[in-house]
Short mmCIF file of all heavy atoms in Angstrom, two decimals:
data_model
loop_
_atom_site.label_atom_id
_atom_site.label_comp_id
_atom_site.label_asym_id
_atom_site.label_seq_id
_atom_site.Cartn_x
_atom_site.Cartn_y
_atom_site.Cartn_z
N ALA A 335 69.87 112.82 57.28
CA ALA A 335 68.92 111.71 57.18
C ALA A 335 69.61 110.44 56.72
O ALA A 335 69.30 109.34 57.20
CB ALA A 335 67.80 112.08 56.20
N SER A 336 70.59 110.55 55.81
CA SER A 336 71.29 109.35 55.32
C SER A 336 72.11 108.70 56.42
O SER A 336 72.31 107.48 56.40
CB SER A 336 72.20 109.72 54.14
OG SER A 336 73.31 110.50 54.57
N VAL A 337 72.58 109.49 57.37
CA VAL A 337 73.34 108.93 58.50
C VAL A 337 72.39 108.32 59.53
O VAL A 337 72.63 107.22 60.03
CB VAL A 337 74.23 110.02 59.14
CG1 VAL A 337 74.90 109.50 60.40
CG2 VAL A 337 75.28 110.49 58.14
N LEU A 338 71.31 109.01 59.83
CA LEU A 338 70.36 108.50 60.82
C LEU A 338 69.67 107.22 60.33
O LEU A 338 69.24 106.39 61.15
CB LEU A 338 69.31 109.57 61.14
CG LEU A 338 69.83 110.80 61.89
CD1 LEU A 338 68.71 111.82 62.07
CD2 LEU A 338 70.41 110.41 63.24
N THR A 339 69.57 107.03 59.02
CA THR A 339 68.97 105.82 58.49
C THR A 339 69.74 104.58 58.90
O THR A 339 69.18 103.47 58.97
CB THR A 339 68.88 105.91 56.95
OG1 THR A 339 68.11 107.05 56.59
CG2 THR A 339 68.23 104.68 56.34
N GLN A 340 71.04 104.74 59.20
CA GLN A 340 71.85 103.59 59.58
C GLN A 340 71.43 103.00 60.93
O GLN A 340 71.86 101.89 61.28
CB GLN A 340 73.34 103.98 59.65
CG GLN A 340 73.88 104.56 58.36
CD GLN A 340 73.70 103.63 57.18
OE1 GLN A 340 73.93 102.43 57.29
NE2 GLN A 340 73.27 104.17 56.06
N ILE A 341 70.59 103.71 61.67
CA ILE A 341 70.06 103.14 62.91
C ILE A 341 69.22 101.90 62.61
O ILE A 341 69.18 100.95 63.40
CB ILE A 341 69.22 104.20 63.66
CG1 ILE A 341 70.10 105.38 64.08
CG2 ILE A 341 68.54 103.60 64.89
CD1 ILE A 341 69.33 106.52 64.72
N LEU A 342 68.57 101.90 61.45
CA LEU A 342 67.70 100.79 61.06
C LEU A 342 68.48 99.77 60.23
O LEU A 342 69.28 100.15 59.37
CB LEU A 342 66.52 101.34 60.24
CG LEU A 342 65.73 102.47 60.91
CD1 LEU A 342 64.72 103.04 59.94
CD2 LEU A 342 65.04 101.95 62.17
N PRO A 343 68.26 98.48 60.44
CA PRO A 343 68.99 97.44 59.68
C PRO A 343 68.41 97.25 58.28
O PRO A 343 68.02 96.14 57.89
CB PRO A 343 68.81 96.20 60.55
CG PRO A 343 67.50 96.40 61.23
CD PRO A 343 67.37 97.90 61.45
N TRP A 344 68.38 98.31 57.48
CA TRP A 344 67.76 98.27 56.17
C TRP A 344 68.46 97.29 55.22
O TRP A 344 67.84 96.73 54.30
CB TRP A 344 67.76 99.67 55.55
CG TRP A 344 69.13 100.26 55.40
CD1 TRP A 344 69.79 101.01 56.31
CD2 TRP A 344 70.01 100.11 54.28
NE1 TRP A 344 71.04 101.35 55.85
CE2 TRP A 344 71.20 100.81 54.60
CE3 TRP A 344 69.93 99.47 53.05
CZ2 TRP A 344 72.27 100.88 53.72
CZ3 TRP A 344 71.00 99.53 52.17
CH2 TRP A 344 72.16 100.24 52.51
N TYR A 345 69.76 97.07 55.43
CA TYR A 345 70.53 96.21 54.53
C TYR A 345 70.18 94.73 54.71
O TYR A 345 70.64 93.89 53.92
CB TYR A 345 72.03 96.43 54.75
CG TYR A 345 72.46 96.37 56.20
CD1 TYR A 345 72.79 95.17 56.81
CD2 TYR A 345 72.51 97.53 56.96
CE1 TYR A 345 73.16 95.12 58.13
CE2 TYR A 345 72.89 97.49 58.30
CZ TYR A 345 73.21 96.29 58.87
OH TYR A 345 73.59 96.24 60.20
N ARG A 346 69.40 94.40 55.71
CA ARG A 346 68.97 93.02 55.92
C ARG A 346 67.59 92.74 55.32
O ARG A 346 67.10 91.61 55.39
CB ARG A 346 68.94 92.69 57.41
CG ARG A 346 70.32 92.78 58.07
CD ARG A 346 70.22 92.54 59.56
NE ARG A 346 71.52 92.67 60.21
CZ ARG A 346 71.70 92.68 61.53
NH1 ARG A 346 70.66 92.56 62.33
NH2 ARG A 346 72.92 92.81 62.03
N LEU A 347 66.96 93.76 54.75
CA LEU A 347 65.63 93.61 54.18
C LEU A 347 65.71 93.36 52.68
O LEU A 347 66.69 93.75 52.03
CB LEU A 347 64.80 94.87 54.46
CG LEU A 347 64.64 95.27 55.92
CD1 LEU A 347 63.92 96.61 56.03
CD2 LEU A 347 63.88 94.19 56.70
N PRO A 348 64.70 92.75 52.10
CA PRO A 348 64.68 92.60 50.63
C PRO A 348 64.61 93.97 49.96
O PRO A 348 63.99 94.91 50.48
CB PRO A 348 63.40 91.79 50.39
CG PRO A 348 63.09 91.13 51.70
CD PRO A 348 63.58 92.08 52.76
N GLY A 349 65.23 94.09 48.78
CA GLY A 349 65.22 95.36 48.08
C GLY A 349 65.98 96.43 48.83
O GLY A 349 65.45 97.53 49.08
N GLN A 350 67.23 96.12 49.19
CA GLN A 350 67.99 96.98 50.10
C GLN A 350 68.09 98.44 49.64
O GLN A 350 67.79 99.36 50.41
CB GLN A 350 69.41 96.41 50.28
CG GLN A 350 69.48 95.11 51.06
CD GLN A 350 69.29 93.90 50.17
OE1 GLN A 350 68.86 94.00 49.03
NE2 GLN A 350 69.61 92.73 50.70
N VAL A 351 68.50 98.67 48.40
CA VAL A 351 68.73 100.04 47.95
C VAL A 351 67.43 100.85 47.89
O VAL A 351 67.38 101.98 48.40
CB VAL A 351 69.46 100.04 46.59
CG1 VAL A 351 69.57 101.46 46.04
CG2 VAL A 351 70.86 99.44 46.73
N PRO A 352 66.33 100.35 47.28
CA PRO A 352 65.08 101.12 47.31
C PRO A 352 64.59 101.39 48.73
O PRO A 352 64.07 102.48 49.02
CB PRO A 352 64.10 100.22 46.54
CG PRO A 352 64.96 99.39 45.65
CD PRO A 352 66.19 99.14 46.43
N VAL A 353 64.75 100.41 49.63
CA VAL A 353 64.35 100.62 51.03
C VAL A 353 65.18 101.74 51.65
O VAL A 353 64.65 102.60 52.37
CB VAL A 353 64.51 99.31 51.83
CG1 VAL A 353 64.36 99.58 53.33
CG2 VAL A 353 63.47 98.29 51.38
#
Side-chain angles (χ1 to χ4, degrees):
S336 70
V337 174
L338 292 177
T339 301
Q340 303 304 317
I341 297 175
L342 306 173
W344 59 270
Y345 49 87
R346 297 176 182 171
L347 302 174
Q350 290 87 347
V351 174
V353 169

